[in-house]
Each structure stands twice: as C-alpha cells, then as structure tokens.
Amino acid sequence: MAARGRCPECGSGSLVEDAHYAQQQLVCAACGCVLSEGLLTTTYTDEEHLREVAYSQSTGQKEQLSRCLQRGTRRVQDLCKVLQLPAVFEETAVSYLQRALQLPAFRLVSLQKKELLGGCCVLVTCRQHRWPLTMGTLCSLLYAPQELFAGVLLSLQRELGLSVPALSLADLVTTHLSSFRLVQPTAGVPAPFLEDKDKLLARTMAIVELASETWLVTGRHPVPVVTAAAFLAWQSLRPGPRLRCPLARFCRLAGVDLPPPAHLRLRELLDILLGMASQLSWLRGFRLDSKTVVKHVGDLLQHWLFLLKHAFSQQHGEEHQDTAPGHGCKDKDSGDKDSLGQDSPGQGSGRPSAGAQVRGGSRRPLLPPCLLRPRKRLQPAAPSAAGAAVTGDEPISDSEIEQYLRSPEEIRAFRKAKAW
Amino acid sequence: FKDDFSTSPHLFTPMSPYDLELPIQASSQLSHSKELHTDFSSVDLSFLPDVTQDNKEQNLSEDGHEMQKELDGSLPSKEDSGVFMDESSLSHPGAAQASPEAPGMCPPLTPMTPVTPASSASESSGIVPQLQNIVSTVNLACKLDLKNIALHARNAEYNPKRFAAVIMRIREPRTTALIFSSGKMVCTGAKSEEQSRLAARKYARVVQKLGFPAKFLDFKIQNMVGSCDVRFPIRLEGLVLTHQQFSSYEPELFPGLVYRMVKPRIVLLIFVSGKVVLTGAKDRSEIYEAFENIYPILRGFKK
C-alpha cells in the first residue's frame, strides 16, 4: 500500500497498488484513475515497481531473440534461393547468423541493421566458397545503403573473427558474362553482334588479366573493369560491324547496366593497348588510334608479356636492352588496311602524344593511373618549421583572444536580426 | 629469345611472391567443402542490378584526414593480440634481419618524450611520416551556456537541432573545437601535440573572456593521424592475401587497404599509389614505429 506522489486528476494522496488480472497498477483510491501500469512480460523487480527498464536489461529481449532469428533465417533462405546458391551455403550462412545474434554487438542494434545481417552472412559464405557475389547486387536485393551494409559486414568480420577472402576477379568475369544476352539469338540483337560465349569469355579474361597487370584494377571497383573488358573483347572478335557500336549501346543490347566508371576504364585499357601496339614490329609503321587498335587486340594479347616489358619502362629504369626479333607472324586479324595517317579528332589529347612518345624511345613507366596523373595539391608551406617552434605553453595575448569576441554593437545587431 | 605464348592465356595468378602460402590458406577455409567448387557459370543474375557508386571512383583523398573520424571507433579488440602473435612471425619475414632502428624505438619501452627515429642502418626507410591531425580533449570544468557563447563569440557556430555543441575556430594554430554544455571540449586540426595544447588553451581563454570560470583540466591527446609516401606502387591484392589476418581490402567499398597492426595498435590505410595514412596513435612514436614495421612488408610488394 505504498502511496507515492499524488493523483494528477483529483490531487488525492491515497494511491494504491492493485493488480488487474495479474497486471500491477497504481490506482488512485479516490477517483480511480490509473497512474501507471506494470508490464506483463518481465520479472525484474525494477519493473514491478513501475520504473522503466531499458530494452537491453529487460527480459523481453530473450523472447525477441527467437523472433529475430526466425526473421533473419527466412531472409537468408530467400536470398539463397534468389541467388541460386547451393544448399550448403544456406546452412553455413544460417549458422553464422545464429552465432552473430548471440553476441550483444548484434542483438542490440537497430532493426535495419539486423535486416542486413542476414545479407552479410550470405556474402561471407559466398566469399569463403569463392562464389563471386558483388556487394552491389546484395545491396540492391536488400534495399540497403552500401555504407550501412559495409559497416555491418566489417563488424561481423571483427566480432566473429571470420576471414573474408577477396572477391576473385576471374570468377566474377564468368558470372558477369553469363548474364550477357549477346550469346544467344534474341530479338533486337542484330546477327553480326552475336558472339560465341567461350571465345568472349576467354578473351575477356585475358584483357582483365592485362588490366590487373597494368595497375588498372587495384583499388578500383571490379565490375566496371569487367564491363569495359567485355566490350573490348566483343569488339575485337569481329571489328568490322562492331567498331561503330558505342559502349552504352553495347550494354543495352547485352541487357546489362552500364556503370559510370566503365568509360574511364575503357579509355585506360585503350591507352595501354596503344602503348603495346607501338612495340609490335608489323604495326610500327601505322599510326594507330583508339579505334584501329581494337582490330589488333588478338595479337597484342598473345604477346602481352613481352610487349609490356618493352612498351613500358620498369620501376627503377631497369630497361630491357633486348632487340626485338622479327616475329614473322602474319597479320591475322583484319584484311583491310588501316588508314595511314588517320588522325582521330577529339579522341583525347593524351593518346596521340603518348603514341609519339613511345615511338620516340622514351617509355612511360608502368604505374597506376593515379600516379601518372597526380592531382595538384596545395602543399602546406613548411609545416614542420612552423610547428617546431611551438611549445604549447606560450603566453596568450589578450588582443589575440579579443579578436574572436563580438563588440557590443555587433551583439545588439545580431540580437535584433535573430530575435534571440 | 622467342616467347611462346601460343598456349591459352594464363589464368588469373596472384602477384605475391609468397605463392607458397596460398594453398594453405585456401584449403583451411574450404576444408569442409571440397566438393563445392561448383559451376556457377550457368547462373544468370542479369535481372539484378549492380549498384555501383561512381563517387568512389575518384581517387578518394589519399591523405584522407576525414577517414580518421570513421576509424576512431574501429580499433581491434583486445582478443586480437592473443590470436595473431604466431601469425606475425610468418607475416614479417623482414623482421628477422631488420634490427630495431634506434634505441628509443624498442617496442616495449615507449619513450616519454617524442623521438624522431634516427636513420641509423640501411634497413631504415629514411621516410618520416608527417603528422596531419591531432585530436585532443580537455575539461573546462564548468557548465556552459552555449547560446550565450554563440551570441558573444565571432568564431562560433551553434545549431542545436543538428549538433549539441558549439563549433569554434581559431586561426592560429588553425584548429576547430567542439565545446559542449557540460564543459568538455574536443580540439581537432592541429599538426603537433604542442600546437594542439596551445590551441586548446586559446579556446579556454576565449570561454573565460566570455565570462565563464573555465579551467584547463585533463588535457589529453586522443588520436594522432600521420601520412607519408613510400614512392612506389603497391599490389594491394597480394598484400591482402599474405596478411589476411591484419588486412581488409574491399575495392567495392574503399580503394585502400585497411591494415590493423597489432603492435603498436595502429590502423594503416595503404593505397595503390604508395601513400600510407596511419591513425589511432596516442603518441607520435607509435606512428613512427608502425611505419617502420610496415615498410619492409610494403617493399616486398614493390613491382
């Protein structure tokens, strides 16, 4: 019969603790108003005394846990079905999910993050089995912002101590190409654009490997590289009718998204190929540009190791003094001649000059593009010199501080303007 | 010589010189799924978009001071240090032959005064990381009226709906401070410990001049960020394969590799251009030590 406080309705002090169907209530004896009710679910004494308990300390979370787990498991199962993963993946992912939900780090996060947890477990499982699944795909399935997904993935990796191997680029090429619609006759795709899947796959793999050798892949998103490489491979397998098809149209025909960086990757790949082409003995006479070099991609890929060594200088000026023997191979690819002296307008100022430079004997080094075109940065003028003089305990002059304070007129004007 | 490349193009081979370690790592993960090298070439996911983020394609600020805020809360937990002690002997092949650079750099004894590493032997890198940002906190030990401060100070901004603190800036040393109503203050942007202390004192003086009985208690450096350039490009894919326990490289998320060093407990962001950002240090010697630890590893991946 503890009386605490007064009734808000009638102001009477006679408050009674009563039970209504086993639910504790604090009732005013005078007017019958219910001041507060106990919660039905917990057994903590705090709640019996009608004080609020945080979710993390209540017993409610034990019941919530199974519901959470059920929802998460269902989500994982749906994901595995949609992505057509083998059955073993589902078991592994669910076991990770169970382990994760035992930990307080995941039990007490927001519902949105719990939704993503299932997706993260699926991703980790796929990575461990070398199944190429990109985060972009998973995020689009879960309708999740990528930053949030990344955060949950990293904390999952840390808490459970899982090793998440890197995405294998070769496998990604395989799955990415299998979704291209240019391998079977489809309505809307002209006959010259159809291509044999194995040939396309082999050549795309070779181009992707070349890209990773020449620093175009490290640090970049993998999918645009694969898209650009597939486009180049497709063009080079039958240059005649396909050279005029731009990247955007190619992606539309193939039924694939065009990621914005793919144009840049394509440009970088062509740059590398042009550099290599300058070292092929039977191409030296021609003035190649980004269109015509596509016709010779087959040859360039066949001898890429040799060409890379000769076209680009190694790191510390370690130049190969090897005289290139005549290869004696015939120009297999296209019967038509390249138009000599064809200047491609507006193809990018870097390319013709790069070609001329290489032929001139000075080779550009094989470096990541960010090092080849460094952005101008404002260097702070001698920071160490200024910093060394400071001891941290210098006297601070009043005038220096006063410059940061408002004058009375300013304050008045400010007050008027802001009506504080 | 005549190169014979008539065979099919090489499959994707990792570039690391530590090829021998790879089968061990791969098999330990796939130990219970040997039969699972299944064929996914028939899987057609064309109905799913791959949402790429083009803003990540620009080379994110290689000396990314902004990254420091994200990494503040993401240092490895204590259990890491126990698990990875045996790994470190495998992953630091250069450690056996590289003697400690200077007497002051022996890991167990961190000197009280900051010591710039002396370039004594040829093993030392000769590169000194530059400090870019220092975060420190101090307790002014009095309750503050933030509205009052924002009204009377020129260099203050206060938007309670967005953030519950006054953001104040001074020009010399160029820093920013977050001043909370409890009297606690965070000072960021200084390039050295002394500058941070001087700046914090100046902020405290401003608050004093505004009429509050501010003191200057418990000044503490919470985080230091340094950066440097090793001047050669780095094969991040190789580094993540050989130092898997410490590194996290997700090109879909971030162009750099995140290396969580255990001793000293520093997080390094390593980029393909050779720029390295070190953060999470409480003392500048930790930054120097971490860099001297990572330099031989990176040298191994020079191409």
Side-chain angles (χ1 to χ4, degrees):
Chain A
M1 301 298 187
R4 248 183 264 116
R6 305 193 85 77
C7 169
E9 292 273 315
C10 63
S12 139
S14 57
L15 302 173
V16 174
E17 277 198 40
D18 197 6
H20 174 73
Y21 296 120
Q23 182 187 31
Q24 286 289 104
Q25 286 180 339
L26 191 63
V27 186
C28 167
C31 65
C33 136
V34 175
L35 272 77
S36 52
E37 297 177 307
L39 300 164
L40 293 171
T41 57
T42 75
T43 56
Y44 282 86
T45 46
D46 274 346
E47 289 192 307
E48 280 180 6
H49 289 164
L50 304 170
R51 260 183 283 147
E52 276 179 21
V53 179
Y55 175 73
S56 54
Q57 288 159 2
S58 71
T59 54
Q61 59 171 324
K62 289 206 191 105
E63 288 139 29
Q64 290 278 340
L65 182 59
S66 49
R67 191 151 29 117
C68 205
L69 188 58
Q70 273 172 23
R71 240 203 319 246
T73 311
R74 241 199 329 261
R75 175 68 61 131
V76 167
Q77 284 167 349
D78 290 342
L79 276 173
C80 291
K81 272 200 210 80
V82 166
L83 296 168
Q84 302 172 32
L85 302 175
V88 187
F89 286 33
E90 192 180 306
E91 291 160 23
T92 321
V94 171
S95 75
Y96 285 149
L97 184 70
Q98 278 170 342
R99 277 170 60 191
L101 284 175
Q102 305 291 336
L103 302 170
F106 292 110
R107 206 167 46 217
L108 303 172
V109 296
S110 64
L111 275 179
Q112 195 184 15
K113 284 192 182 165
K114 278 185 186 146
E115 301 266 318
L116 301 183
L117 195 54
C120 292
C121 294
V122 171
L123 183 71
V124 172
T125 314
C126 287
R127 287 279 185 93
Q128 289 179 341
H129 293 303
R130 283 195 54 151
W131 189 280
L133 179 65
T134 57
M135 288 193 209
T137 308
L138 215 42
C139 286
S140 68
L141 276 177
L142 295 171
Y143 307 110
Q146 202 165 24
E147 299 84 35
L148 200 59
F149 186 83
V152 179
L153 179 66
L154 292 174
S155 50
L156 178 72
Q157 191 181 352
R158 192 176 46 234
E159 295 288 330
L160 290 186
L162 299 169
S163 70
V164 183
L167 182 65
S168 154
L169 206 55
D171 299 334
L172 180 64
V173 170
T174 315
T175 42
H176 200 68
L177 283 190
S178 60
S179 43
F180 277 33
R181 280 201 316 229
L182 293 166
V183 296
Q184 300 121 6
T186 337
V189 177
F193 285 6
L194 291 175
E195 186 53 67
D196 173 47
K197 184 172 174 189
D198 294 322
K199 276 205 281 183
L200 185 63
L201 184 62
R203 188 159 280 198
T204 310
M205 287 277 225
I207 297 182
V208 166
E209 196 194 348
L210 177 68
S212 70
E213 259 302 307
T214 53
W215 298 102
L216 298 184
V217 167
T218 312
R220 269 90 174 274
H221 201 289
V223 174
V225 181
V226 175
T227 310
F231 175 63
L232 257 186
W234 174 79
Q235 269 192 333
S236 68
L237 284 171
R238 199 170 155 186
R242 295 179 186 171
L243 264 184
R244 255 174 263 108
C245 176
L247 180 56
R249 185 163 175 235
F250 169 75
C251 289
R252 247 196 325 255
L253 288 172
V256 183
D257 282 338
L258 172 60
H263 284 286
L264 296 166
R265 300 297 152 259
L266 185 62
R267 208 161 253 234
E268 286 164 359
L269 273 171
L270 287 169
D271 200 22
I272 298 281
L273 288 171
L274 275 170
M276 287 165 63
S278 67
Q279 294 298 312
L280 260 189
S281 43
W282 65 88
L283 290 180
R284 279 216 182 108
F286 300 139
R287 196 183 161 79
L288 293 177
D289 65 9
S290 62
K291 289 284 186 197
T292 45
V293 76
V294 175
K295 298 180 196 157
H296 305 283
V297 165
D299 282 345
L300 294 174
L301 287 176
Q302 213 171 14
H303 309 283
W304 66 273
L305 264 181
F306 174 79
L307 291 173
L308 274 188
K309 256 192 291 208
H310 285 257
F312 304 103
S313 67
Q314 298 308 311
Q315 268 298 187
H316 293 298
E318 189 198 308
E319 314 243 306
H320 247 268
Q321 297 306 320
D322 212 351
T323 55
H327 281 266
C329 306
K330 292 186 287 272
D331 184 342
K332 307 188 208 59
D333 260 297
S334 53
D336 49 318
K337 298 197 195 88
D338 306 302
S339 45
L340 295 165
Q342 171 193 359
D343 252 306
S344 54
Q347 276 301 326
S349 49
R351 214 160 293 114
S353 55
Q357 209 178 33
V358 173
R359 245 175 281 129
S362 67
R363 304 170 214 160
R364 80 147 167 93
L366 194 56
L367 290 176
C370 55
L371 284 179
L372 290 172
R373 278 189 300 271
R375 292 210 211 128
K376 295 251 162 68
R377 286 194 67 242
L378 294 144
Q379 294 296 331
S384 50
V390 177
T391 62
D393 288 314
E394 286 108 333
I396 304 170
S397 65
D398 277 347
S399 53
E400 189 188 347
I401 302 295
E402 248 134 54
Q403 68 173 316
Y404 294 120
L405 303 179
R406 287 204 171 111
S407 62
E409 306 85 47
E410 267 183 60
I411 297 179
R412 255 179 270 128
F414 208 67
R415 266 218 177 100
K416 243 192 331 192
K418 271 221 163 175
W420 271 17
Chain B
F1 60 91
K2 183 160 173 55
D3 296 316
D4 182 18
F5 298 99
S6 49
T7 53
S8 58
H10 311 206
L11 287 178
F12 188 79
T13 48
M15 306 317 305
S16 77
Y18 303 102
D19 274 340
L20 298 167
E21 288 188 17
L22 295 175
I24 305 167
Q25 287 181 346
S27 61
S28 64
Q29 284 142 28
L30 302 178
S31 53
H32 37 255
S33 56
K34 285 184 281 291
E35 74 283 9
L36 263 196
H37 212 354
T38 36
D39 174 38
F40 40 69
S41 49
S42 59
V43 172
D44 177 7
L45 297 181
S46 56
F47 60 98
L48 291 171
D50 181 272
V51 180
T52 56
Q53 302 209 332
D54 43 350
N55 60 345
K56 290 210 172 24
E57 266 312 323
Q58 312 305 321
N59 286 323
L60 284 176
S61 47
E62 266 124 2
D63 304 67
H65 324 298
E66 298 83 9
M67 290 299 137
Q68 168 252 322
K69 283 205 204 86
E70 292 175 24
L71 295 170
D72 256 330
S74 57
L75 293 175
S77 55
K78 289 188 203 28
E79 48 202 50
D80 290 357
S81 42
V83 171
F84 301 135
M85 271 304 122
D86 50 335
E87 271 294 308
S88 59
S89 51
L90 280 176
S91 342
H92 297 267
Q97 43 101 7
S99 51
E101 269 66 21
M105 296 311 292
C106 287
L109 308 163
T110 336
M112 290 310 291
T113 55
V115 168
T116 320
S119 47
S120 52
S122 55
E123 290 102 2
S124 111
S125 59
I127 305 172
V128 179
Q130 295 295 319
L131 288 180
Q132 302 289 348
N133 184 21
I134 313 266
V135 178
S136 56
T137 53
V138 73
N139 186 3
L140 302 177
C142 66
K143 293 275 172 270
L144 303 173
D145 180 356
L146 298 183
K147 251 182 152 179
N148 196 311
I149 293 178
L151 177 61
H152 290 267
R154 281 190 185 135
N155 53 345
E157 68 182 73
Y158 179 48
N159 190 347
K161 288 193 197 122
R162 205 161 52 115
F163 191 54
V166 163
I167 302 169
M168 196 181 281
R169 297 185 166 88
I170 58 174
R171 280 181 279 273
E172 184 54 48
R174 230 182 92 197
T175 49
T176 305
L178 303 173
I179 307 178
F180 294 84
S181 54
S182 60
K184 299 266 172 68
M185 183 171 80
V186 179
C187 174
T188 62
K191 300 275 190 214
S192 76
E193 303 91 321
E194 299 84 13
Q195 280 189 11
S196 192
R197 190 185 158 83
L198 178 62
R201 283 176 56 225
K202 290 190 180 174
Y203 287 114
R205 278 290 278 282
V206 172
V207 171
Q208 269 178 355
K209 285 226 183 280
L210 290 171
F212 298 93
K215 302 203 211 31
F216 195 77
L217 307 176
D218 310 323
F219 174 79
K220 183 172 180 220
I221 306 258
Q222 299 290 351
N223 187 23
M224 302 173 74
V225 181
S227 72
C228 57
D229 188 359
V230 300
R231 302 204 173 282
F232 53 81
I234 302 169
R235 290 276 173 202
L236 301 179
E237 309 94 350
L239 182 57
V240 76
L241 280 174
T242 52
H243 291 79
Q244 204 171 25
Q245 305 291 359
F246 306 106
S247 346
S248 155
Y249 170 56
E250 297 287 341
E252 297 175 80
L253 296 178
F254 187 62
L257 185 149
V258 180
Y259 191 102
R260 291 175 195 274
M261 195 175 280
V262 175
K263 191 154 175 38
R265 225 179 76 168
I266 301 282
V267 175
L268 299 94
L269 299 179
I270 304 168
F271 295 89
V272 67
S273 56
K275 301 220 169 47
V276 180
V277 175
L278 307 98
T279 181
K282 291 274 197 288
D283 190 271
R284 84 168 52 202
S285 60
E286 291 176 14
I287 294 208
Y288 297 144
E289 192 187 335
F291 182 68
E292 294 301 322
N293 285 350
I294 200 81
Y295 190 69
I297 298 172
L298 297 180
R299 282 275 292 273
F301 287 95
K302 188 153 80 166
K303 258 309 176 161

